[in-house]
Amino acid sequence: MDEINNSRYIDTIYVAVKDILKNWFSIICISVCAVLLTYIGASIYYSPVYTSKCTMVVSAKENHTGAYANITQTTKLIDTITGVLDSSVLKKKTAETAGYSSFDATLDIVIVESTNLLEVSVTSDSSLKSFKLLTALIDIYPQLSKDVLGDVVIQIFEAPNFPSSPSNTFSYQQTLTYALLISAGVVILIVASYSYFYNNIKTEWDANEKLDSKLLGVVCHESIYRKTKDRLLRHKKRLLIGSPGVSFGFSETIKKIRTNALYFKEKNGGNVILITSYKKREGKSVVAANLATSLAQQGKSVLLISGGFSPESLIEVLGLDFSEYFVHGTKCDIYDFIYEKENSNLSILVNPSGDTFSSDPDKFNSIENFSQFVGKFAKEYDYVIIDGPCAKHSANAEYFAKHSDFSVLVVKQNGAKVSHLNDTIDMLNKYNSGLCGFVFNDVYSAMSIINIGYGSYNSYNRYGKYGKYSRYNKYSKYGAYNQYGAYYNYEENSSSPKHSKLKHHKKRYKR
């Protein structure tokens, strides 16, 4: 249990790190703005000051008592000496002597430790003013202090220096570096905190605990580039089982989802499946295309329908080119839009932009027409899979759910809020057999990277807890589906009524 909790926390932190990396540009921009504001503020509020210093020696007029007596006498008289030097009378006289109307500077007197030396400094906003005031002070001080200090003699040990640079030197580089680091740290902390506390699905454990449905499978993140060269040239691979570069774990997860769909179908009936999500870019088209392809590879006749009005994602995943097949104005019947992949049991009903039925959405999505042709296709095909629209800000997902036998919800890691996902689940459960379950998609897991607890995600070593279903050889009472048994050889069963109807709609155009 402790290992599971640790894995959960590590994955949550890993997701927060991914969010930080995803927002790197915003973090840099905010940090640069903070540096610029710091520079502007420093330029406005920084005022350089200059300090002129001199060193004095305190001793007795007739020094027969030694250095120790001088040090002791200096220590005792420091308050008196300071009072004389800092008196308003002396400052006024000093300012007049230096040629200023007032002593507009700061006077500091410090005794050098364990000595009879005094350091006297004058600080002002001008180097010349500091030097002139200190020089005048040294000249006037003996005349005013001889009656007060008595036998004490103050002599110049080091003459006043002329300050050539400010004494409060401002390091722009150091300050701006601190501003950059602090602002970046604050923004990173805000992003990490928001990511950590935002109530969405970050881990497999969150999915099982927070969502009111069954987890069908965890699809880990699959890179769309095979090599660094492909990334630089923007050559994307197709995320489709059987395609070059697709990982073993990805393919096995699709098979697991397919197995769960078969089980749900046998238990509840129906063969029209809606694949949907709460919002866009959750990966529903990838799941729909792979589920359809996986079923077709097992000898099932599958019709994949693009339920939205933007089929580009589905077409890209399948790697199809309809530019020659769908010519504007040449297709009149709904069957003319069915495209069959060569040497495959997979057919695709797309919605190409600018063609007959896509230019009239009401005609395509009207209750009479849609329910009519979906019902007809459900008899002609083993499976009808609808790549539906997302549920956010749209009633189309609910409309397709009404005309589907059951649904599959795709949930992307670190995506939609839990409340929105559960509302979508409740909506899908209202119609027909309801929701089969959900697919946790595009999952980044720190555990899969450092190989701790790797089996729960990607090891597929005998399918983890599904080991007894390894290769689906003995899937409980569904043994008839061993290698999909009687349904395996599609051509041998083509004489059945279902397949004879399908044969009638074979397309002339092959990819």
Side-chain angles (χ1 to χ4, degrees):
M1 182 61 67
D2 291 338
E3 182 179 352
I4 294 176
N5 289 332
N6 291 336
S7 300
R8 180 176 181 178
Y9 294 141
I10 291 174
D11 279 357
T12 303
I13 295 173
Y14 186 71
V15 171
V17 173
K18 293 293 297 182
D19 279 341
I20 293 171
L21 297 177
K22 184 171 64 176
N23 292 280
W24 66 269
F25 185 74
S26 300
I27 294 172
I28 291 176
C29 289
I30 294 174
S31 300
V32 170
C33 291
V35 170
L36 292 176
L37 291 175
T38 303
Y39 179 81
I40 294 172
S43 301
I44 294 174
Y45 293 104
Y46 170 62
S47 298
V49 294
Y50 300 86
T51 302
S52 181
K53 296 181 179 180
C54 74
T55 305
M56 297 182 177
V57 180
V58 179
S59 59
K61 287 183 180 180
E62 295 180 1
N63 189 6
H64 301 293
T65 55
Y68 178 78
N70 287 332
I71 294 172
T72 304
Q73 191 174 30
T74 303
T75 304
K76 292 180 178 180
L77 294 176
I78 186 62
D79 293 335
T80 305
I81 297 171
T82 302
V84 174
L85 289 173
D86 201 29
S87 65
S88 58
V89 176
L90 181 59
K91 286 183 177 180
K92 183 178 179 181
K93 185 67 175 176
T94 300
E96 291 176 356
T97 304
Y100 296 101
S101 59
S102 62
F103 194 89
D104 188 14
T106 303
L107 177 64
D108 292 312
I109 303 169
V110 178
I111 184 172
V112 180
E113 187 176 359
S114 302
T115 67
N116 61 329
L117 300 178
L118 293 177
E119 280 191 354
V120 181
S121 62
V122 174
T123 304
S124 70
D125 56 0
S126 169
S127 57
L128 181 60
K129 180 190 290 187
S130 299
F131 178 74
K132 292 177 67 176
L133 288 175
L134 181 58
T135 303
L137 180 65
I138 294 173
D139 293 339
I140 298 172
Y141 178 75
Q143 302 175 12
L144 298 178
S145 61
K146 63 180 180 179
D147 296 332
V148 177
L149 299 179
D151 294 336
V152 176
V153 177
I154 298 179
Q155 297 175 330
I156 301 300
F157 181 77
E158 184 178 350
N161 68 308
F162 186 88
S164 57
S165 60
S167 55
N168 61 338
T169 305
F170 183 78
S171 177
Y172 278 94
Q173 181 178 358
Q174 184 179 17
T175 303
L176 297 183
T177 301
Y178 286 151
L180 178 65
L181 295 177
I182 293 173
S183 59
V186 171
V187 177
I188 289 173
L189 181 61
I190 293 173
V191 172
S193 299
Y194 180 82
S195 174
Y196 184 84
F197 292 106
Y198 188 72
N199 190 25
N200 57 8
I201 306 300
K202 299 179 179 65
T203 66
E204 181 181 351
W205 296 274
D206 289 341
N208 285 317
E209 292 179 2
K210 296 181 179 180
L211 296 185
D212 304 328
S213 185
K214 177 186 176 182
L215 176 61
L216 302 180
V218 179
V219 182
C220 290
H221 174 76
E222 186 82 6
S223 175
I224 59 176
Y225 302 104
R226 282 190 264 176
K227 299 178 181 179
T228 305
K229 180 180 178 181
D230 295 333
R231 184 181 297 274
L232 295 175
L233 298 177
R234 311 301 291 177
H235 291 166
K236 299 180 181 179
K237 70 180 182 183
R238 287 190 294 142
L239 296 181
L240 190 67
I241 55 173
S243 297
V246 174
S247 68
F248 173 78
F250 181 85
S251 300
E252 292 302 309
T253 302
I254 297 299
K255 292 178 183 178
K256 177 182 175 182
I257 297 169
R258 178 194 65 195
T259 302
N260 282 318
L262 286 172
Y263 175 79
F264 191 88
K265 173 184 179 295
E266 290 300 317
K267 183 178 180 181
N268 299 279
N271 64 341
V272 181
I273 308 173
L274 171 65
I275 310 296
T276 185
S277 61
Y278 172 71
K279 62 181 184 178
K280 295 180 180 180
R281 302 184 182 278
E282 297 280 282
K284 60 179 179 59
S285 295
V286 174
V287 173
N290 279 279
L291 180 59
T293 302
S294 178
L295 290 169
Q297 288 176 350
Q298 296 298 320
K300 308 295 181 181
S301 59
V302 182
L303 176 64
L304 178 59
I305 299 176
S306 174
F309 294 101
S310 298
E312 290 82 5
S313 298
L314 187 61
I315 293 173
E316 182 181 352
V317 174
L318 293 171
L320 302 178
D321 183 9
F322 297 147
S323 58
E324 297 180 3
Y325 183 56
F326 294 111
V327 181
H328 180 71
T330 62
K331 310 298 178 184
C332 299
D333 185 67
I334 190 66
Y335 290 97
D336 292 329
F337 290 94
I338 297 178
Y339 175 90
E340 290 188 354
K341 291 189 68 176
E342 188 176 359
N343 300 323
S344 173
N345 295 318
L346 177 63
S347 302
I348 303 99
L349 175 60
V350 298
N351 183 7
S353 176
D355 285 277
T356 307
F357 69 82
S358 66
S359 61
D360 187 5
D362 293 334
K363 178 180 178 181
F364 177 61
N365 282 337
S366 64
I367 295 177
E368 296 79 13
N369 286 329
F370 187 79
S371 59
Q372 182 180 3
F373 80 73
V374 168
K376 189 173 182 178
F377 288 147
K379 297 176 182 178
E380 297 177 357
Y381 291 86
D382 291 325
Y383 287 93
V384 177
I385 298 179
I386 304 174
D387 177 24
C390 61
K392 184 179 181 181
H393 306 314
S394 174
N396 290 339
E398 186 171 3
Y399 171 79
F400 281 108
K402 292 179 182 178
H403 300 284
S404 302
D405 294 316
F406 58 93
S407 308
V408 173
L409 181 66
V410 178
V411 178
K412 186 177 181 180
Q413 183 187 37
N414 204 28
K417 292 181 67 174
V418 172
S419 59
H420 296 157
L421 293 173
N422 281 326
D423 289 343
T424 304
I425 291 172
D426 293 339
M427 180 271 291
L428 295 173
N429 278 327
K430 292 192 301 183
Y431 302 105
N432 301 317
S433 297
L435 184 65
C436 171
F438 67 93
V439 176
F440 192 30
N441 190 39
D442 197 22
V443 177
Y444 288 89
S445 172
M447 307 313 299
S448 63
I449 300 299
I450 61 178
N451 202 28
I452 299 176
Y454 190 75
S456 64
Y457 281 98
N458 282 338
S459 66
Y460 297 95
N461 181 19
R462 296 293 180 184
Y463 302 95
K465 66 177 180 179
Y466 300 97
K468 60 182 179 180
Y469 305 116
S470 176
R471 297 191 180 278
Y472 311 110
N473 288 334
K474 299 178 181 179
Y475 194 78
S476 188
K477 63 180 179 179
Y478 302 102
Y481 296 94
N482 178 26
Q483 299 298 325
Y484 295 91
Y487 304 97
Y488 181 71
N489 294 319
Y490 172 81
E491 296 297 335
E492 293 179 3
N493 292 284
S494 61
S495 60
S496 63
K498 178 180 292 188
H499 295 292
S500 63
K501 291 181 181 179
L502 176 63
K503 233 176 184 182
H504 176 70
H505 300 297
K506 286 283 185 179
K507 296 290 99 184
R508 279 77 62 191
Y509 184 86
K510 298 289 185 179
R511 181 175 181 273

